[in-house]
Amino acid sequence: GVQTCALPISDDERIYISCEMSEGGETVLAADYAGQKQWGMSRFEGGMMARHGRYLYMLVGGGHYRKRQGEIHIRRFDPATGRYVPFAGGKNEKLLFKYPVNRALKIRDPEGTVVAAKAFDAGWLHHEAMGLASAGKRLYVSLFYENKVLAVAPETGRVVASFPLERPAGLA
């Protein structure tokens, strides 16, 4: 089974689906437009994805209830094969941002109650990074509790700018 999937993204050749975790299945996979699986990877955390230039990028971490509390990382993949494409220095992922893990968050109502009441909002998720998108020469990451959007240079995985924005959520 698969849990907590991010919205799928696509390009001209494939659809990419990622989940924060998987139970015996793939964490991230690619399928063609006929629905046939092209590749899949498991045994790691997944997250939001964006396609930029030749590569597929994924955010990892950022949840207050998961592994890697206090950190948000970015990974880069070959979209045709699913293989990691290392950043400079040979690392498969780069640390983008550190945040306080002792942040006071509102108490969450049970998911079913929230969905039934149509009260589901970004704050309920207790997740720092709420969006990843590609535009121009940069990737952009929204940080909900930090009230800002980060601009990331995709070739290095480094944050090159930060923009204040109150409670940014999903990006497109």
Side-chain angles (χ1 to χ4, degrees):
V2 174
Q3 301 176 8
T4 318
C5 292
L7 290 175
I9 65 165
S10 62
D11 58 22
D12 291 341
E13 298 178 41
R14 288 172 282 283
I15 300 166
Y16 308 95
I17 303 165
S18 170
C19 297
E20 284 190 27
M21 61 171 280
S22 60
E23 295 174 0
E26 273 89 15
T27 307
V28 62
L29 64 85
D32 64 19
Y33 280 93
Q36 297 298 308
K37 178 179 155 186
Q38 302 297 296
W39 55 261
M41 297 174 66
S42 60
R43 295 191 174 97
F44 66 89
E45 288 179 83
M48 291 166 268
M49 296 181 295
R51 181 72 197 270
H52 184 85
R54 299 181 348 213
Y55 303 117
L56 179 66
Y57 293 84
M58 176 189 295
L59 291 182
V60 181
H64 282 275
Y65 52 91
R66 296 266 184 225
K67 296 178 185 176
R68 298 186 196 223
Q69 287 185 353
E71 297 182 349
I72 299 167
H73 297 254
I74 192 163
R75 288 186 178 143
R76 182 166 62 180
F77 300 93
D78 177 336
T81 65
R83 291 189 179 100
Y84 290 113
V85 178
F87 292 98
K91 301 230 181 213
N92 287 336
E93 64 182 46
K94 297 284 270 188
L95 176 65
L96 286 182
F97 190 78
K98 288 190 172 194
Y99 60 90
V101 295
N102 60 351
R103 190 185 307 271
L105 301 171
K106 70 180 183 178
I107 296 174
R108 299 192 319 179
D109 291 328
E111 185 174 357
T113 303
V114 173
V115 171
K118 297 185 172 132
F120 194 75
D121 65 4
W124 185 88
L125 294 172
H126 291 193
H127 211 277
E128 294 289 327
M130 295 296 292
L132 173 65
S134 169
K137 296 181 180 182
R138 301 282 181 247
L139 294 166
Y140 295 90
V141 178
S142 61
L143 300 178
F144 185 76
Y145 293 103
E146 294 293 322
N147 294 309
K148 63 181 157 186
V149 173
L150 304 177
V152 178
E155 56 281 345
T156 64
R158 290 189 158 181
V159 175
V160 294
S162 176
F163 309 97
L165 185 64
E166 189 172 335
R167 300 290 196 233
L171 299 175

